[in-house]
Amino acid sequence: NQYYASGRYRFDFRLDLERAWRQLGDDYVFLIRGHHHMAEDVPAGTRPDFAINVTTYPDISELFLVSDVLVTDYSSVMFDFAPTGRPMLFFTYDLEQYRDNLRGFYFDFEAEAPGPLLATSEEVVAAVADIDAVASAHRAAYQAFTARFCPLDDGKAAARACDRIFGS
C-alpha cells in the first residue's frame, strides 16, 4: 500500500539485513523477491553474498526449491510453498492495518497461518536462527494448512489431469 505515484509502488522493506547478517553469519543467504512492480526498489543489502535481489528471476518455483525457509507477509506464495513442507515465517508488522483497512483475508489468517506471525525484524531473525524449534512448534498448524489448502499437491496432479481428460 506504499507508493510513489499511481501504479508505481514502493517496497517498504522492514527487515534489518545488516543486523541479520551480524546475528546469522555467512552460512545464510537471503533471496529477496519483491512484487514485479517494485523490482527497482528491492534492496540487496550491504553484504552482496548475504542478500540477493531475485525479483526479476523468472521462475519462483525454482527459488522455492533452493530455499530452506520462506519469510513472507500475506502473499499467496504461502499456498505455493506449503507443499514443500519447509518452514514459513510471516513478517506481519502491519497486520492490523492490512486486516482492518487495506485488504483483509479470505480465511482466518491469524488462527490458521502455518507459521508464526512476527511483528519485528528482530523476531524474524531470531526465528530464522532457531528455525527447527519454530517449525516444530508450528507443525500442527502447518499440517492443517496443507490439508485444507493443498490436498492435491502431491506431485501427481498432472497424472490425475491426464487420466481425467484422456481416460486411464
Side-chain angles (χ1 to χ4, degrees):
N1 65 334
Q2 306 279 329
Y3 57 91
Y4 296 111
S6 181
R8 189 153 181 273
Y9 297 94
R10 184 172 74 83
F11 189 56
D12 186 16
F13 193 72
R14 303 272 179 113
L15 193 62
D16 184 342
L17 291 173
E18 185 62 23
R19 186 174 192 169
W21 176 80
R22 284 194 313 270
Q23 286 185 245
L24 299 171
D26 291 330
D27 290 340
Y28 291 78
V29 174
F30 279 72
L31 303 177
I32 303 170
R33 186 176 178 96
H35 190 277
H36 64 88
H37 288 300
M38 302 173 186
E40 300 303 316
D41 257 10
V42 178
T46 58
R47 310 276 177 186
D49 295 330
F50 180 73
I52 303 167
N53 179 356
V54 294
T55 301
T56 60
Y57 193 82
D59 188 352
I60 196 169
S61 62
E62 290 179 358
L63 298 175
F64 291 162
L65 291 174
V66 299
S67 298
D68 297 316
V69 178
L70 175 69
V71 179
T72 188
D73 53 6
Y74 319 102
S75 174
S76 62
V77 299
M78 71 178 92
F79 300 101
D80 301 323
F81 192 80
T84 70
R86 296 186 197 127
M88 290 187 261
L89 307 174
F90 296 89
F91 191 18
T92 56
Y93 60 87
D94 61 347
L95 179 62
E96 293 79 17
Q97 170 70 12
Y98 188 91
R99 180 191 62 220
D100 301 339
N101 302 313
L102 191 59
R103 289 196 175 163
F105 299 101
Y106 293 109
F107 69 104
D108 190 349
F109 175 72
E110 292 169 83
E112 298 180 62
L117 308 184
L118 307 167
T120 67
S121 180
E122 293 79 16
E123 290 175 339
V124 172
V125 174
V128 169
D130 197 18
I131 197 61
D132 291 337
V134 171
S136 180
H138 292 85
R139 184 166 288 123
Y142 201 115
Q143 290 171 343
F145 183 88
T146 56
R148 178 175 179 198
F149 295 110
C150 312
L152 300 176
D153 294 337
D154 59 1
K156 299 175 185 171
R160 283 193 298 274
C162 286
D163 288 347
R164 185 83 180 247
I165 293 167
F166 302 112
S168 37

